[in-house]
Amino acid sequence: MIVIFGVPGAGKTTVISKVFEDNAISDKYQKVVYGDLVSRHISDLGIDRDMVRTLPLKKQQSFQKEIFSVINNMEKENGKEVVLDTHAFVRTVEGFLPGLPEWADLKPKRFLLITADNEVIRQRMANDATRKRTDFIDEIKELTTLSKLYAVSYSVFYSAPLTVVDNSKDVSIAVNKVKELLLRWKE
């Protein structure tokens, strides 16, 4: 499993979606978007995925356990290595909840952090009408710093290398870099 992190607005999902348009990648890997699994999981509850972070902590952790069980089974059933598009942490009303808790029983081989300049992230968030996001630069700075700290911590905890890819400029640069890495990692 390869885990790809990035704060909202860094362009993580955009980069990964474009990477998986290439058959050389999609033939070797299976893309899994954690947020999509959350949306499916909660569809009967009448809440959207941005509201999950307001639920009691035990309920959020229960969702995590159920979703990580599904993800672990995907890799076993499909035979393709999973590329998991997720967040390193989730801001909740009780604080920051780890996105990859130790009890998730994951076995990541590598971590990839998609980053961008804070002002670029702010502009992207301001232009995204589909989600409830901040556009306060101080808050974005905090999130990007925490994302890097969490990513390094996971790398140490799981003894898996961390690679950082900047997506501040032309998205095709980040897409090509991620493709190059994924193909190299399959050699």
Side-chain angles (χ1 to χ4, degrees):
M1 175 179 298
I2 296 169
V3 180
I4 301 182
F5 298 122
V7 298
K12 166 185 51 68
T13 301
T14 299
V15 169
I16 296 311
S17 294
K18 291 181 181 300
V19 164
F20 270 82
E21 290 173 2
D22 186 333
N23 289 340
I25 301 296
S26 60
D27 288 347
K28 293 175 175 55
Y29 293 99
Q30 177 181 6
K31 177 180 75 166
V32 176
V33 180
Y34 185 87
D36 291 349
L37 295 177
V38 169
S39 294
R40 280 187 232 135
H41 189 75
I42 63 169
S43 62
D44 296 338
L45 301 178
I47 60 174
D48 68 35
R49 74 189 221 190
D50 289 322
M51 292 174 64
V52 171
R53 69 188 75 234
T54 66
L55 298 174
L57 190 58
K58 293 237 183 269
K59 188 68 173 169
Q60 292 179 61
Q61 290 171 324
S62 173
F63 287 158
Q64 280 184 317
K65 286 178 184 175
E66 292 168 22
I67 291 167
F68 281 124
S69 176
V70 168
I71 292 169
N72 281 325
N73 286 332
M74 287 176 160
E75 202 163 57
K76 291 174 191 166
E77 292 171 3
N78 188 313
K80 289 183 184 179
E81 187 169 8
V82 165
V83 173
L84 178 60
D85 170 347
T86 190
H87 293 286
F89 60 89
V90 178
R91 180 186 294 241
T92 73
V93 294
E94 297 187 44
F96 296 102
L97 178 66
L100 294 179
E102 57 88 18
W103 46 256
D105 197 31
L106 299 177
K107 309 243 183 317
K109 293 180 187 171
R110 296 185 180 274
F111 292 101
L112 185 58
L113 178 63
I114 305 292
T115 63
D117 294 334
N118 291 325
E119 182 56 32
V120 171
I121 291 171
R122 190 197 66 73
Q123 290 171 5
R124 290 175 183 164
M125 286 179 159
N127 293 330
D128 184 358
T130 66
R131 302 286 303 277
K132 298 170 190 149
R133 297 183 168 161
T134 184
D135 65 352
F136 297 109
I137 196 69
D138 289 339
E139 197 171 334
I140 292 166
K141 287 177 183 176
E142 178 186 37
L143 295 176
T144 56
T145 299
L146 284 171
S147 185
K148 291 171 186 175
L149 293 171
Y150 269 86
V152 168
S153 298
Y154 291 135
S155 176
V156 170
F157 179 79
Y158 287 102
S159 298
L162 167 65
T163 303
V164 179
V165 173
D166 182 67
N167 184 34
S168 296
K169 297 181 173 76
D170 182 352
V171 70
S172 66
I173 296 168
V175 168
N176 289 333
K177 179 65 177 174
V178 172
K179 279 186 194 180
E180 172 192 317
L181 290 166
L182 290 174
L183 291 171
R184 183 170 3 123
W185 294 340
K186 271 299 185 191
E187 291 176 350

